[in-house]
Amino acid sequence: MRTSAGTRAVGSLAPVGLLALLLTGCGTDDPRAGCTWMKDQDPAPRAGSTVILVDGSASVRGAASGAGGPDYARAVDALLEERAEAGDTFSVGTFAGAPGDVDWTIQKRSANWKESARNSGNQKANRDAAIRCLAEDVTTAQRVVPARGGTDVLAALTTGAGLLQDVEGPRRLVVLSDGLSTNGCADLRQAAFDSETEVKAIASVCATKGEFSELPDLGGVNVTFVGLGHSAGAQPSANQAQRAWLSRLWTSLCERAGATEASCTTSDAPVGSAPAPAATGPVPADPVVPYRDGSSQTYSLPGAALFDTDSARLRPAAMEPLTDIAVRARTTPGLDRVEVDGYVDLRGGSGNDRSLSQSRADAVAEVLVERGVPRSSVAAYGRGVSPGCPSDRPTGDVPAHERLQCDRRVDIRIFWK
């Protein structure tokens, strides 16, 4: 058989290239050594699939240097070993910032080690290498810096579930996150973290039928949440009761999305600490979720008593109740903060809903500051159209005009340490 000059040249270099490859893979600290076979490996028939979603937001990244970030790779090492042993395909990605955006570190990579080599010893070596490489993929995903701050866990679940639609074998979603969504229907920035009623209310809103539903289709999917309530960086720490509340919330949302009770598991146990992932650029700040501990008081003031129609100018009659609230806030020991939430009703033009509600909240906040509440302790938020009257007010038999008055309101919430 004839051999071309080009083929002879390649053949003569093959031993050199093989030797270089072996030297690279042996005695190296590179955790990816020995995993190149996974890039082109075909999955086994009816193989399962595991999608790992890593929260990349500032709330779980830890300090700019040193320890502080969660050690997600170690937290899931047993799961990686189990699913690699089963020969799953794996996808690992980072979510944060824009809702639904996932930056994939690897996507649909097969761990079919039983068919990766003919020799049983090489097969087992590939299996062990795959476990190491997948752990490194999780760590790599933690280093990804999102373009924007904020977190939408449900939107990430929807994207991850999309990769599992055509999988015939077992399907698994693993979410490595503190669970503190700051976007979408499960936005927890105003959550009280203290009641089953609130859990049911959030799940009900997220499960709205039709085009406004934000729940993914998790039917037939095993979902595991790891690290709930364990944040880093500037995000306040949750106590045990608040972590348990987060577990109940995400279990409820998981079940409402179609998964069974047995297939929705959560862990609020500590995940250990690792050196904070090196950032490749400035990390966008995350909205803070200020955990509520029950030490608060809410005052709801009807907008009609405070403002003229479509106006943010306070009426003279508004000064008496606002002065009373300011005095209570500044004289009660242990003041933490005061939050002013402005709401409007559905009758306003959608273009100025947010602007008007913000202007009204700002006007009320300014009066509180003028009457002695420290400016550093007061924050004003324009919430736009009201989602409804506070939960402690029955609305079923209330006339429409009274419901509108309830919607046009300003809530002043005082929190104590």
Side-chain angles (χ1 to χ4, degrees):
M1 181 178 67
R2 293 187 176 182
T3 305
S4 69
T7 303
R8 288 197 300 272
V10 172
S12 64
L13 291 174
V16 177
L18 178 60
L19 178 60
L21 179 62
L22 291 174
L23 290 175
T24 301
C26 296
T28 180
D29 292 330
D30 179 10
R32 301 216 60 80
C35 288
T36 54
W37 63 272
M38 295 180 68
K39 293 182 179 180
D40 301 314
Q41 179 62 46
D42 292 329
R46 301 184 64 81
S49 184
T50 296
V51 176
I52 300 176
L53 300 169
V54 182
D55 190 342
S57 63
S59 72
V60 295
R61 296 189 69 90
S65 61
D71 192 350
Y72 284 145
R74 178 169 293 183
V76 296
D77 57 358
L79 183 144
L80 292 177
E81 182 174 355
E82 171 193 323
R83 301 320 307 165
E85 177 71 29
D88 277 11
T89 61
F90 287 85
S91 299
V92 179
T94 309
F95 70 93
D101 278 1
V102 176
D103 194 329
W104 296 106
T105 299
I106 61 169
Q107 198 168 3
K108 296 184 178 180
R109 187 158 296 181
S110 175
N112 184 16
W113 56 272
K114 293 182 180 179
E115 298 181 21
S116 65
R118 295 182 179 180
N119 181 280
S120 61
N122 292 340
Q123 291 174 353
K124 292 179 180 178
N126 285 346
R127 176 199 61 193
D128 295 341
I131 297 170
R132 293 194 304 272
C133 292
L134 290 167
E136 174 62 17
D137 289 328
V138 172
T139 300
T140 298
Q142 284 189 264
R143 299 190 185 107
V144 175
V145 177
R148 295 188 297 175
T151 312
D152 192 333
V153 177
L154 277 179
L157 277 169
T158 299
T159 301
L163 293 184
L164 300 173
Q165 287 183 346
D166 299 325
V167 174
E168 296 183 4
R171 298 180 290 167
R172 182 179 295 274
L173 266 174
V174 182
V175 184
L176 308 179
S177 172
D178 56 10
L180 299 182
S181 276
T182 56
N183 284 313
C185 61
D187 186 339
L188 299 180
R189 285 175 291 177
Q190 305 304 322
F193 291 84
D194 64 356
S195 72
E196 293 301 320
T197 300
E198 189 172 36
V199 168
K200 293 177 181 178
I202 293 173
S204 178
V205 170
C206 291
T208 300
K209 301 296 183 182
E211 61 178 311
F212 297 109
S213 175
E214 296 185 41
L215 292 182
D217 180 6
L218 298 180
V221 179
N222 285 285
V223 184
T224 302
F225 293 89
V226 177
L228 293 177
H230 292 282
S231 304
Q235 172 61 44
S237 297
N239 59 35
Q240 184 175 356
Q242 291 159 345
R243 291 195 296 270
W245 184 91
L246 277 169
S247 291
R248 294 194 299 274
L249 171 66
W250 288 109
T251 298
S252 179
L253 287 169
C254 178
E255 293 175 9
R256 291 293 291 266
T260 65
E261 181 179 359
S263 64
C264 296
T265 58
T266 63
S267 172
D268 60 6
V271 294
S273 183
T280 56
V283 179
D286 244 16
V288 173
V289 177
Y291 290 106
R292 317 299 190 203
D293 60 4
S295 301
S296 66
Q297 177 68 51
T298 299
Y299 299 90
S300 291
L301 303 179
L306 302 177
F307 306 98
D308 291 329
T309 302
D310 290 331
S311 171
R313 184 186 297 275
L314 282 163
R315 291 178 170 179
M319 297 306 162
E320 182 176 346
L322 293 180
T323 299
D324 179 66
I325 293 172
V327 171
R328 294 187 185 206
R330 73 171 191 250
T331 58
T332 303
L335 175 66
D336 182 18
R337 65 190 182 279
V338 178
E339 296 181 358
V340 182
D341 294 328
Y343 296 97
V344 295
D345 62 49
L346 288 169
R347 299 182 306 171
S350 60
N352 71 345
D353 288 342
R354 184 75 65 178
S355 176
L356 179 59
S357 65
Q358 183 66 60
S359 296
R360 288 182 168 183
D362 289 338
V364 169
E366 190 60 33
V367 171
L368 298 179
V369 171
E370 290 174 354
R371 280 152 179 73
V373 181
R375 185 176 296 275
S376 60
S377 300
V378 181
Y381 303 99
R383 302 299 183 187
V385 174
S386 169
C389 293
S391 59
D392 60 343
R393 299 187 186 183
T395 58
D397 298 324
V398 175
H401 71 279
E402 291 188 20
R403 287 200 298 271
L404 287 175
Q405 289 182 7
C406 181
D407 288 339
R408 293 193 305 272
R409 70 181 192 278
V410 173
D411 288 346
I412 302 174
R413 296 183 296 171
I414 305 173
F415 297 91
W416 294 277
K417 298 177 181 177

